[in-house]
Amino acid sequence: MTNSSSPDGVMLTERPSGRSATTGARARMSPRRRSEITWALTFVAPAVLGFVLLKAMPILFSLYIAMTDWSAVGNAHWVGLDNFEKMLFADPLFWRSLEVTAYYTLVSVPASMAFAFFLATLLNQRIPGLGIFRTIFYIPSIVPIIASTVIWLWMFNPDFGLFNSVLGAFGIPKMQYIFSEEQVVPSLVFMSIWGVGPMMIIFLAGLQEVPKELYEAADIDGSNAWHKLVHITLPMMTPTILFNLMISMVAAFQTFVQPFIMTNGGPNNGSLFFVFWIYRKAFQDSQMGYASALAWALFIIISVLSYLIFRTSNRWVFYRGGDN
Amino acid sequence: MSAMEHDTSIGDTLIRNAPGVNKRRLAFLLCVLLSVAMILPLAWLARSSLMEMGQIFIFPPEWIPNPFAWHNYPDALTTIPFFLYLWNSALVVVPTILGTLFSCSLAAYAFARLRWPFRDQIFAVLMATLMLPYVITLIPTFLIWSGLGFVDTYVPLIVPHWLGTNVFYIFLLRQFFKALPKELDEAATIDGAHIVQVFWYIVLPLSRPALLVVAILSGLGAWNDFVDPLVYINSSEKYTVALGLSQFVGLYTSQWSLLMAAATVVIIPVIIVFFFTQRYFMTSITMTGLKG
């Protein structure tokens, strides 16, 4: 705050490189420039402090905890990589939760992306009532997660729920949905599709950026709708697809509230999601050390997957040159 | 008049026979059907919230409550101490909004319009934290707050927002600030305005739409947040609405109509806010996806 009393304002334009820039000496920096730097540092101070105290330090701290037997009672002891060894070789539920989470991610991400893309293409047509449809398709995604889990819990109710009533009207026998080990993940995928609103809006914005001339040219060439989709729309949309893929993959891997409220990880651990398993270990069994090791495993898995998607993206993502 | 009618009918015929009209009709039909499907869970919620216990368990189910059991709402709101939870939520939501606006707008201004060493590198590092799974910081952060004696208070729920930990909002505001014409603050600077004055009197007033988006999104985020209150709040008299509703699920699972009434009450404020601010909502989402 050395220059806080300085009456100088700030120049946001590029200054001529004559005075301070060439010498680079702090002492010869103009007071105005120094004031700008001082104020900038003051302004970012809360955010940088937040990064250091609530992101960077906790990550390092977490790595340390993962190497200990930290629990609610007694002192923590250094155990090295024991937690990771236990996770890989002596905890069948680690593998179970990984399997459940991977299964859910592999199905829900493509399913919700396909549905969101489909809704976006519908909204990209010139039909009456577009604004109303867009609002209706979007609304489910703003329903608080705690409320939507309650609604779906009731709709999945095998005896009095909506789904079995509708299916029953067609003579289809009752299903158990989230109360069956086999059906619980598909049921939760179905539920996730309900909330594709934001993804749909992002796809819609992407669709509206595809140059109309490309379709006109294709029309002249006599292309049908399928060809236009495969050869124009999809290639032009690949940056948007990559963005939605990354976001929804990371989110799907962190699914927590659905198993916590709806299934308690069951039946028979059929919905034992990874983050739910971490939560149980940390906050119900007080095994902070082991839970931190699990959290690091999740971190590594997500990082590796993101890296792989990103690395392969140059083979399938098409960036329009020039305008960005 | 008659000439005009004549014209329209010719136009109609042309449109009807033009290629793509059937496609558009199909799209419209699909939109209607899908709208019904998307609304169905909410309709099921509303219908269940207004039924007597006897009617809710009739099979096959009925859609129209008979009679309308409006008393479910006062019943639900008194069975759980709803107004206490509402007050608790306000105690979290309001400071969260203020803190987010404070820390994120200042940081965004420094990143967007001031020149200082390592600016872009620091911004990149902050942005990278968006990819961080929240559980990895949850446990150590909990242990830190616990060591400081702040468990079962709202401090761990509020303080992070005063420290700009939701980097997404910094990003959003930075995008907006960058788009403002530079000539404005240059002119003000020539007139002798200080950085703080430029920020307060020029940049902030021009950025009201973006600030509103951030206020809404962070407020809704705090209202909907379930995991942090679950981890940090122990005493039931300190529960927020979201956490309180989750306790209701465990205790009253057989009383579906009360549960549905309570869920409706949690949703309604969100829907109201959404309807008034829909335009900003949609814009902010597209900003995340495409630019930057």
Side-chain angles (χ1 to χ4, degrees):
Chain A
M1 302 283 275
T2 46
N3 278 317
S4 58
S5 59
S6 156
D8 281 320
V10 60
M11 287 291 282
L12 287 164
T13 43
E14 282 301 314
R15 56 184 61 251
S17 57
R19 296 202 327 230
S20 57
T22 43
T23 59
R26 261 192 95 83
R28 295 186 54 185
M29 207 179 265
S30 79
R32 185 171 279 188
R33 180 87 188 91
R34 254 193 297 178
S35 164
E36 178 175 0
I37 293 175
T38 311
W39 279 107
L41 295 179
T42 313
F43 282 6
V44 291
V48 169
L49 202 66
F51 168 75
V52 173
L53 293 180
L54 295 164
K55 297 277 167 71
M57 265 175 40
I59 291 170
L60 295 177
F61 188 25
S62 164
L63 192 59
Y64 165 74
I65 302 167
M67 308 279 184
T68 69
D69 60 356
W70 194 308
S71 64
V73 285
N75 294 324
H77 302 97
W78 180 264
V79 296
L81 293 174
D82 282 8
N83 283 327
F84 291 94
E85 203 182 312
K86 177 187 167 195
M87 177 178 19
L88 293 174
F89 303 112
D91 181 6
L93 288 183
F94 161 74
W95 292 105
R96 176 69 163 161
S97 65
L98 200 59
E99 185 195 349
V100 166
T101 312
Y103 174 29
Y104 175 81
T105 306
L106 273 176
V107 184
S108 83
V109 169
S112 48
M113 279 179 64
F115 187 58
F117 193 92
F118 179 63
L119 291 181
T121 47
L122 286 182
L123 292 180
N124 201 30
Q125 310 290 322
R126 286 175 42 234
I127 51 172
L130 270 183
I132 298 167
F133 290 132
R134 193 184 60 174
T135 304
I136 291 177
F137 295 162
Y138 190 79
I139 276 183
S141 67
I142 62 160
V143 172
I145 177 91
I146 180 71
S148 57
T149 50
V150 170
I151 299 170
W152 283 80
L153 193 58
W154 176 221
M155 290 201 299
F156 282 137
N157 186 300
D159 295 319
F160 308 103
L162 176 68
F163 292 124
N164 272 346
S165 319
V166 172
L167 293 184
F170 294 99
I172 298 169
K174 281 184 180 176
M175 296 205 282
Q176 295 301 310
Y177 306 103
I178 56 170
F179 304 99
S180 128
E181 191 183 340
E182 288 75 33
Q183 290 171 24
V184 60
V185 169
S187 300
L188 292 178
V189 168
F190 191 65
M191 176 182 163
S192 76
I193 288 174
W194 193 49
V196 295
M199 223 197 267
M200 170 193 81
I201 298 292
I202 291 170
F203 273 138
L204 181 59
L207 285 173
Q208 287 166 350
E209 301 241 316
V210 179
K212 298 278 170 293
E213 305 88 76
L214 293 178
Y215 295 112
E216 284 157 15
D219 281 334
I220 293 166
D221 292 347
S223 303
N224 60 28
W226 175 251
H227 275 109
K228 280 188 267 186
L229 176 72
V230 173
H231 297 292
I232 300 174
T233 314
L234 284 179
M236 294 303 284
M237 289 291 283
T238 42
T240 318
I241 292 173
L242 174 67
F243 178 83
N244 277 335
L245 174 66
M246 296 284 263
I247 299 287
S248 57
M249 191 266 297
V250 172
F253 255 97
Q254 300 186 67
T255 305
F256 169 73
V257 182
Q258 294 89 320
F260 184 85
I261 298 284
M262 300 173 77
T263 61
N264 197 21
N268 193 20
N269 296 320
S271 62
L272 188 78
F273 280 84
F274 203 104
V275 173
F276 182 67
W277 182 230
I278 296 175
Y279 175 84
R280 254 197 197 165
K281 282 287 146 197
F283 297 103
Q284 290 174 355
D285 302 347
S286 291
Q287 297 181 22
M288 296 297 181
Y290 187 57
S292 295
L294 288 170
W296 265 89
L298 178 74
F299 184 34
I300 292 167
I301 292 168
I302 291 182
S303 306
V304 168
L305 282 177
S306 309
Y307 176 76
L308 288 179
I309 293 175
F310 222 80
R311 270 302 296 275
T312 58
S313 70
N314 58 8
R315 294 199 203 138
W316 58 272
V317 175
F318 171 76
Y319 289 103
R320 246 190 306 166
D323 65 47
N324 243 357
Chain B
M1 268 318 267
S2 67
M4 266 180 72
E5 274 165 22
H6 189 65
D7 277 358
T8 7
S9 72
I10 288 177
D12 279 356
T13 335
L14 281 175
I15 289 168
R16 241 177 251 131
N17 295 337
V21 168
N22 281 334
K23 203 181 82 182
R24 248 181 267 155
R25 275 205 191 123
L26 180 67
F28 183 77
L29 193 71
L30 282 169
C31 277
V32 172
L33 288 175
L34 286 167
S35 295
V36 173
M38 295 295 259
I39 284 297
L40 208 60
L42 294 175
W44 180 254
L45 167 80
R47 151 280 179 203
S48 308
S49 76
L50 289 169
M51 277 190 178
E52 296 287 358
M53 289 302 277
Q55 197 189 4
I56 207 170
F57 291 126
I58 289 177
F59 195 88
E62 297 173 353
W63 274 95
I64 309 295
N66 179 30
F68 278 84
W70 293 105
H71 64 84
N72 284 339
Y73 281 83
D75 288 357
L77 298 189
T78 45
T79 309
I80 54 167
F82 180 80
F83 293 99
L84 177 66
Y85 295 163
L86 191 66
W87 173 245
N88 293 341
S89 277
L91 289 180
V92 176
V93 169
V94 173
T96 295
I97 295 175
L98 295 177
T100 306
L101 287 176
F102 165 79
S103 60
C104 294
S105 66
L106 283 175
Y109 179 64
F111 283 122
R113 298 182 85 89
L114 300 180
R115 289 183 309 131
W116 45 286
F118 302 112
R119 180 187 69 180
D120 296 340
Q121 290 85 338
I122 291 178
F123 183 68
V125 171
L126 289 190
M127 287 302 290
T129 62
L130 280 175
M131 291 298 283
L132 214 59
Y134 69 88
V135 275
I136 194 137
T137 49
L138 186 66
I139 295 167
T141 317
F142 171 80
L143 292 174
I144 293 169
W145 286 122
S146 167
L148 295 171
F150 283 116
V151 166
D152 210 24
T153 72
Y154 298 135
V155 173
L157 307 184
I158 294 167
V159 167
H161 300 286
W162 285 84
L163 296 176
T165 44
N166 207 326
V167 181
F168 170 64
Y169 301 132
I170 300 180
F171 169 76
L172 211 67
L173 289 172
R174 174 178 168 272
Q175 295 292 96
F176 198 90
F177 291 167
K178 270 172 92 90
L180 297 174
K182 286 213 154 169
E183 292 76 16
L184 284 169
D185 23 352
E186 276 164 28
T189 309
I190 290 164
D191 289 347
H194 192 254
I195 290 178
V196 181
Q197 289 171 316
V198 172
F199 174 65
W200 188 256
Y201 292 109
I202 296 173
V203 172
L204 283 191
L206 286 172
S207 307
R208 280 206 193 104
L211 295 170
L212 187 66
V213 167
V214 170
I216 295 161
L217 291 180
S218 65
L220 286 180
W223 173 261
N224 296 346
D225 187 20
F226 171 71
V227 178
D228 280 339
L230 175 72
V231 167
Y232 287 108
I233 305 299
N234 302 324
S235 1
S236 58
E237 71 270 12
K238 290 181 185 163
Y239 283 174
T240 59
V241 170
L243 186 57
L245 181 64
S246 80
Q247 302 301 308
F248 199 73
V249 179
L251 290 174
Y252 300 92
T253 325
S254 52
Q255 305 207 38
W256 282 106
S257 43
L258 291 192
L259 193 53
M260 291 301 122
T264 310
V265 174
V266 177
I267 297 174
I268 282 174
V270 177
I271 304 254
I272 290 174
V273 170
F274 174 71
F275 267 106
F276 281 107
T277 55
Q278 209 189 136
R279 192 161 49 95
Y280 300 110
F281 246 87
M282 305 288 183
T283 327
S284 72
I285 292 163
T286 18
M287 273 174 83
T288 62
L290 296 170
K291 295 167 189 144

